[in-house]
Amino acid sequence: MVTLLLDQTQLEVVLSPVERAATFHRENIRVARDTITKVQLTDDAWTWLRGVPGPGTHIPGILAAGTWKGAGTTDFVLIRRRRPSVVIDLEGDEQYQRLIFTTRHGLALTQALRLDVTEELADVTDIVATAPTPVVKGKSRPVIRPRPV
């Protein structure tokens, strides 16, 4: 599971040693914050894959990790099974046009990107937890009770 660090200027996707081996990346993925154009949450990241796998690991339905190259696009992908994921579209980044990775902190990432953060890198879950403004979570569903007979 990737760790997401955010500051005023960049988003850093911290990879574990196993993830580095699977993706064939020696360093963490760093993206300038101003290149992020859209962040989307998805339950099935496999539908977002485009192109063919470049250097990396691909076991269909199980693991997609590494660089995926399409017609004029290059994406960084780290997808595990059918778990909640994040799709980040980038514009102006010299290396990637899209990041797709499995994480359970997708909602925290979208909320943290809306907040003003410090100059130091911090985990997105910590940023949201210490937010000075209340972060609104999803509406609770109404309780449906049977009618009395």
Side-chain angles (χ1 to χ4, degrees):
M1 187 75 54
V2 296
T3 302
L4 304 172
L5 301 177
L6 183 69
D7 68 2
Q8 288 180 344
T9 59
Q10 72 177 357
L11 169 67
E12 183 173 349
V13 180
V14 180
L15 304 173
S16 71
V18 173
E19 292 166 342
R20 288 174 195 239
T23 60
F24 289 81
H25 278 268
R26 292 183 180 170
E27 297 182 1
N28 296 332
I29 306 300
R30 291 179 183 87
V31 175
R33 190 171 174 176
D34 58 352
T35 63
I36 298 173
T37 58
K38 187 177 0 175
V39 178
Q40 301 175 62
L41 304 177
T42 181
D43 288 332
D44 188 9
W46 294 94
T47 60
W48 289 89
L49 290 178
R50 58 185 181 185
V52 295
T57 306
H58 182 228
I59 305 169
I62 307 290
L63 177 68
T67 303
W68 284 64
K69 297 180 181 180
T73 63
T74 305
D75 300 341
F76 175 78
V77 175
L78 185 54
I79 303 171
R80 293 190 183 117
R81 301 199 183 264
R82 302 232 185 266
R83 296 185 178 157
S85 302
V86 174
V87 179
I88 302 173
D89 289 327
L90 306 172
E91 189 174 305
D93 189 67
E94 67 241 10
Q95 194 171 10
Y96 299 111
Q97 283 76 40
R98 184 181 283 172
L99 305 176
I100 307 169
F101 49 86
T102 301
T103 181
R104 61 179 164 224
H105 302 300
L107 184 59
L109 172 65
T110 59
Q111 292 171 342
L113 284 170
R114 294 179 185 164
L115 300 172
D116 292 328
V117 295
T118 63
E119 293 183 13
E120 296 180 11
L121 284 173
D123 194 328
V124 294
T125 55
D126 295 338
I127 293 171
V128 172
T130 60
T133 58
V135 178
V136 178
K137 295 191 178 187
K139 290 183 176 181
S140 61
R141 294 176 46 160
V143 177
I144 300 173
R145 296 187 178 113
R147 294 183 184 181
V149 182

